Amino acid sequence: MTDHVHDLQSVREATDRLLTAVAKLDNAALAEESHLPGWTRGHVLAHLARNADALVNVFAGRPMYASAEARDSDIERDAPRPLDVQLADVRETHAGFLAQTGLDQDWSRTVELRNGVTDLASNVPFRRLVEVELHHVDLNIGYELSDLPEEFTGREITFLADRWSGRPEVPPVTLQVEGDGSGSTWHTGGAEGGPVTLVGTGAELLGWLAGRGDKGAHLTVVGGLLPALPPL
């Protein structure tokens, strides 16, 4: 069972790490490219702030975003802001998210996210943690996939492996952590095509699943070629 209290504490810790790291930048650095094509570091920070607002909407029973166009335009509007404004926005919207999640509520209820996606309210804190941790990596400021907490990496691999399961455009894939005495193994993909096994570190497996880092270029591939995944 998902422990939303644990996940909210992880969100606090991850956000503190991100804010501490970003505070060492300057205005010029925010205008430089992130790891996300077409986005500066300012875009990433703007997205994190607006996502926190959007998840408050989810908990309050409102649409996550007014529209896809409004989401994108808000990020473009906020991306060029100076460092102090970006930091304040991420900090204040993070506090707003924590305040909303601190209200007495039914954590077992179903809530609606973007594009008709639904989930249990208790899973939303982990979704916010994913945003903070992966976008910290996306900022391109020295925080790498290999720096992510081990627990987070394993849970996100599980989440993404489930996301790609049953997809006909992805062959059946087995994911194995290299040299892991726990025998961590995941299965994903559909039923079409020849089975492929990918072996590597947790960070490398997550990079392939999330389309980040070297996107699996350093994985050991057994049984075929490294499959290409559609965009998340």
Side-chain angles (χ1 to χ4, degrees):
M1 181 178 294
T2 302
D3 183 349
H4 67 272
V5 175
H6 170 77
D7 289 344
L8 286 168
Q9 180 57 34
S10 295
V11 169
R12 293 184 184 93
E13 294 168 359
T15 303
D16 285 346
R17 282 196 297 273
L18 183 145
L19 288 169
T20 298
V22 172
K24 299 174 183 177
L25 304 178
D26 56 26
N27 291 335
L30 291 193
E32 295 174 355
E33 292 183 357
S34 72
H35 283 313
L36 295 177
W39 271 19
T40 66
R41 293 183 179 117
H43 283 88
V44 176
L45 293 174
H47 166 62
L48 279 170
R50 301 289 68 77
N51 174 261
D53 286 340
L55 292 179
V56 168
N57 289 336
V58 167
F59 278 109
R62 299 186 293 266
M64 187 170 180
Y65 295 100
S67 67
E69 294 76 17
R71 171 189 176 274
D72 294 344
S73 64
D74 285 350
I75 293 171
E76 289 295 334
R77 177 197 66 205
D78 295 341
R81 299 175 302 176
L83 177 63
D84 60 338
V85 178
Q86 295 277 22
L87 284 170
D89 196 14
V90 173
R91 189 177 294 112
E92 290 166 8
T93 54
H94 166 63
F97 172 75
L98 293 180
Q100 183 68 34
T101 57
L103 299 176
D104 186 29
Q105 58 194 293
D106 177 11
W107 285 95
S108 67
R109 74 189 189 279
T110 297
V111 294
E112 184 171 348
L113 303 165
R114 291 182 67 199
N115 303 320
V117 173
T118 59
D119 203 350
L120 296 178
S122 59
N123 290 334
V124 174
F126 182 70
R127 287 179 175 269
R128 176 59 181 175
L129 180 61
V130 171
E131 294 287 331
V132 175
E133 288 284 30
L134 290 188
H135 285 314
H136 191 167
V137 174
D138 293 334
L139 281 169
N140 188 20
I141 55 176
Y143 191 68
E144 307 295 341
L145 290 170
S146 57
D147 295 318
L148 293 167
E150 184 176 353
E151 179 197 10
F152 170 82
T153 296
R155 287 181 65 187
E156 181 63 354
I157 290 174
T158 299
F159 175 81
L160 291 174
D162 181 68
R163 179 168 181 167
W164 296 122
S165 290
R167 297 284 291 267
E169 67 271 40
V170 181
V173 178
T174 298
L175 306 165
Q176 295 180 350
V177 175
E178 184 177 39
D180 184 357
S182 68
S184 298
T185 301
W186 298 265
H187 301 281
T188 193
E192 301 178 13
V196 176
T197 298
L198 305 181
V199 182
T201 65
E204 290 167 343
L205 293 171
L206 177 56
W208 177 73
L209 286 164
R212 285 171 164 83
D214 62 16
K215 301 181 182 180
H218 289 88
L219 291 170
T220 298
V221 185
V222 181
L225 300 175
L226 180 69
L229 292 175
L232 280 174

